[in-house]
Amino acid sequence: MQNPGTATPDRFPAQERFTAGAQYIAGRFTKGTSGQTHAVVDPATGDEVITYELAGTDDVDAAVAAARRAFSGWAGATPGERSDALHRFAGVLADRAEELARAESLQCGKPLKLTREFDVPGTIDNTAFFAGAARHLQGQAAGEYSGDHTSYVRREPIGVVGSIAPWNYPLQMAAWKILPAVAAGNTIVLKPAELTPLTSLLFAQAATDAGIPDGVINIVTGTGRVAGEHLVGHPDVAMTSFTGSTAVGKRVAEIATATVKRLHLELGGKAPFVVFDDADLEAAVHGAVAGALINTGQDCTAATRAYVQRPLYEAFVERTAALMETVRLGDPFAPGTDLGPLISHVQRDRVAGFVDRARGYARVVAGGEAPQGELAKGAYYRPTLVADAAQDSEIVQSEIFGPVLVVLPFDTDDEGIRLANDTPYGLAASAWSRDVYRAGRATREIRAGCVWVNDHIPIISEMPHGGIKASGFGKDMSAYSFEEYTQIKHVMFDNTAVARKDWHRTIFGDR
């Protein structure tokens, strides 16, 4: 770290941890070797938090080499030993919960109440879950499927995993990628987004302090074009896991294919929010506002397209707009703040561009502007409701990644489900109805990796997260993600010498 920035100790109590650099390789902080620096900026104020040296290809090589050295020992540990280490890890994270929450709020602009109540507790819970899962890596029961031969299936770790995480949930995404990988016996090199590396680095240091061996978890903080592409293409990396946009996911897949890597992609989303005419209107309105504005809309599962059956449409638009007007923008560290800034002014301007272009073909009912006054120096944008856009319009089809909800009417149930499925994405969706059969039909026919009923956004460690279509493939969280990070081996024993002779005679004859 070259420059400590202007963050005060109460906002950034972990600042002194990064004096040695913002790379974490083989259990210690180091400086990047790219020759370039990057600033972590508080998006609420525009102030620099720290300036650090970016990772170059040499840093990636060093991190992969450290992970390779650590692999045999970690993969050879018993499930109980890995489980015990992860339980200790969860305890260290719990002890540092406030430090993690403040660092996450500072680098992302998230309200502190969100990081305290959602991001950090969710990460600790996920760590505890995989501590238990580490003891349940199962193969298949043995059996005699071919005469006197006994067969069974082993599940084994893959090797060194190279992962790339996004900036919208830096701590949780680090956990989702690191925990199932190491619980299964792999080692890992994670590249966080250069905008938001702080909590990924703190997470890795907490693992070391919990007794997880050096080199099992490594962090390289650099650009996608340099550090990210080198990590994905590295010949000693056996698997790549990426979370981010669909466009970048295609590039990751292209690079990974050259070395025939295992690939896990969690990509973009454009979640439909389908409100049938028998739904509880007030519940749906509150669900839509919460689902659309979570993390300032920078969530690939956020509610972005509300399809409302025509008898409820105008009331839904009116009440949703009114509720959005009550949402309080402000300092993420202030107790009364509901909504923080977007990650950067670049992202704010991108979101504003979508809304400004939509004014030519749709109705902007609420928001649609950046606030003035004290908040103007941050990357804030008001909660925005857009109505009456065409299904094929840009604002309906493209991922905006901001606090914008688009509302469209539909007439029949068939039409509502058809419209919900009518984008390239398939990550998440929700259906709102009092009729269990109607809701059940929606869960069957809406094509998405997760469909909530009368709710939108909650996740739990025991259940999988991941999409279909242009939203990618593979699962995070749950035992399903645990399986993503293992490979299957068939083992077959010849039980008798006679059987072996008979087998050879079948092939070579009597000689």
Side-chain angles (χ1 to χ4, degrees), residues 70-439:
F71 175 69
S72 60
W74 184 248
T78 66
E81 289 168 338
R82 291 198 292 269
S83 175
D84 288 346
L86 288 170
H87 276 300
R88 293 194 301 272
F89 186 15
V92 174
L93 293 172
D95 291 340
R96 299 177 185 175
E98 182 66 12
E99 178 182 84
L100 289 165
R102 287 181 174 273
E104 191 80 335
S105 289
L106 185 65
Q107 68 180 352
C108 298
K110 298 170 184 274
L112 187 58
K113 66 182 180 182
L114 181 67
T115 59
R116 279 175 172 166
E117 298 174 14
F118 180 71
D119 296 61
V120 174
T123 298
I124 295 168
D125 181 74
N126 212 234
T127 307
F129 172 82
F130 280 106
R135 302 188 79 125
H136 295 279
L137 186 62
Q138 297 176 343
Q140 185 173 330
E144 282 69 45
Y145 302 107
S146 176
D148 292 317
H149 292 73
T150 297
S151 289
Y152 67 91
V153 169
R154 288 175 54 88
R155 278 196 176 273
E156 298 179 342
I158 295 170
V160 177
V161 177
S163 292
I164 300 175
W167 47 255
N168 58 332
Y169 288 99
L171 178 61
Q172 287 198 303
M173 293 297 101
W176 287 11
K177 298 203 175 298
I178 290 169
L179 293 170
V182 301
N186 302 284
T187 56
I188 190 166
V189 178
L190 174 80
K191 192 202 86 66
E194 58 268 33
L195 293 172
T196 55
L198 303 179
T199 46
S200 301
L201 292 160
L202 293 173
F203 187 79
Q205 186 185 44
T208 298
D209 293 345
I212 293 176
D214 294 349
V216 172
I217 300 171
N218 306 276
I219 310 292
V220 289
T221 303
T223 65
R225 186 148 322 260
V226 176
E229 293 198 1
H230 191 63
L231 179 61
V232 174
H234 200 292
D236 292 332
V237 169
M239 175 181 173
T240 293
S241 176
F242 170 80
T243 297
S245 72
T246 300
V248 178
K250 291 177 181 178
R251 174 62 179 159
V252 169
E254 178 186 352
I255 298 170
T257 299
T259 48
V260 199
K261 287 178 170 51
R262 173 82 68 89
L263 190 59
H264 170 210
L265 299 175
E266 198 269 89
L267 306 177
K270 191 71 178 174
F273 185 100
V274 183
V275 182
F276 295 101
D277 58 11
D278 67 333
D280 181 325
L281 180 59
E282 288 303 315
V285 166
H286 281 80
V289 172
L293 302 185
I294 183 74
N295 202 35
T296 318
Q298 298 167 126
D299 187 314
C300 49
T301 63
T304 58
R305 299 178 290 140
Y307 295 101
V308 183
Q309 206 149 23
R310 204 168 294 274
L312 297 182
Y313 180 70
E314 289 300 339
F316 180 91
V317 170
E318 179 183 345
R319 296 185 192 187
T320 301
L323 186 58
M324 280 187 171
E325 295 289 350
T326 71
V327 173
R328 296 166 295 189
L329 281 68
D331 177 0
F333 286 78
T337 295
D338 299 320
L339 198 71
L342 291 150
I343 190 65
S344 68
H345 286 85
V346 171
Q347 181 65 13
R348 184 200 62 189
D349 293 346
R350 178 180 179 274
V351 171
F354 275 100
V355 177
D356 290 344
R357 291 189 295 274
R359 295 181 194 278
Y361 56 80
R363 193 166 40 117
V364 178
V365 184
E369 62 183 6
Q372 302 301 308
E374 184 65 20
L375 296 182
K377 63 184 179 181
Y380 289 89
Y381 196 76
R382 294 196 184 282
T384 299
L385 185 67
V386 177
D388 305 338
Q391 175 67 14
D392 61 356
S393 62
E394 175 194 50
I395 205 163
V396 173
Q397 293 293 324
S398 299
E399 188 174 33
I400 300 171
F401 230 56
V404 179
L405 177 63
V406 184
V407 190
L408 297 85
F410 69 93
D411 292 303
T412 67
D413 290 15
D414 288 347
E415 183 188 15
I417 292 171
R418 177 181 62 78
L419 292 171
N421 287 329
D422 184 27
T423 71
Y425 301 104
L427 185 58
S430 62
W432 296 74
S433 173
R434 289 186 175 97
D435 186 327
V436 65
Y437 300 104
R438 204 176 199 184

